[in-house]
Amino acid sequence: AQLILDGFQTDFPVVENGRVVGILTRSDLINALTQKGEHSLVETVMQRSFETADSGEMLERVFSRLQTGAFNSVPIIDRSRLVGLVTAENIAELLMIKEALRTRMAA
């Protein structure tokens, strides 16, 4: 909960023995706190059904999967290890920055 309050991240990959085994979303966390209290175990409330993307995968393809609305974030994997987490908001921000720079260069 403190990580959500301290920053902008709302989804957290859950890693066990170096492998992503789930995602804890803000909704999962709030529901668990409401229903079970602060001593709930992450493994009992995390999402076990999620998609991952390979670090070499095209960003457009990952963005397309995120737009379906089934997932809020996609863990990025390289050689079976978590190397990042991408959200539709991250990609939209990147596209806005690239467009702003492109517009500036054209002026």
Side-chain angles (χ1 to χ4, degrees), residues 67-100:
Q67 287 181 312
T68 66
F71 303 99
N72 295 327
S73 59
V74 174
I76 307 301
I77 308 297
D78 185 30
R79 296 185 203 112
S80 301
R81 294 269 186 217
L82 176 70
V83 294
L85 186 73
V86 174
T87 67
E89 185 177 336
N90 296 139
I91 297 171
E93 288 171 342
L94 173 65
L95 294 174
M96 286 188 299
I97 290 169
K98 288 180 96 170
E99 182 59 29

Side-chain angles (χ1 to χ4, degrees), residues 54-70:
D54 184 76
S55 62
E57 191 171 336
M58 295 298 295
L59 197 55
E60 292 86 8
R61 192 163 167 228
V62 177
F63 187 55
S64 175
R65 286 193 279 160
L66 283 166
Q67 287 181 312
T68 66

Side-chain angles (χ1 to χ4, degrees), residues 9-22:
Q9 188 170 337
T10 59
D11 289 353
F12 300 89
V14 179
V15 179
E16 182 175 68
N17 298 324
R19 194 173 66 83
V20 179
V21 294

Side-chain angles (χ1 to χ4, degrees), residues 33-52:
L33 289 172
T34 301
Q35 295 172 8
K36 302 175 185 178
E38 62 186 66
H39 298 291
S40 300
L41 298 176
V42 170
E43 68 182 5
T44 64
V45 298
M46 69 184 184
Q47 300 291 315
R48 294 181 184 274
S49 175
F50 58 93
E51 290 199 24
T52 63

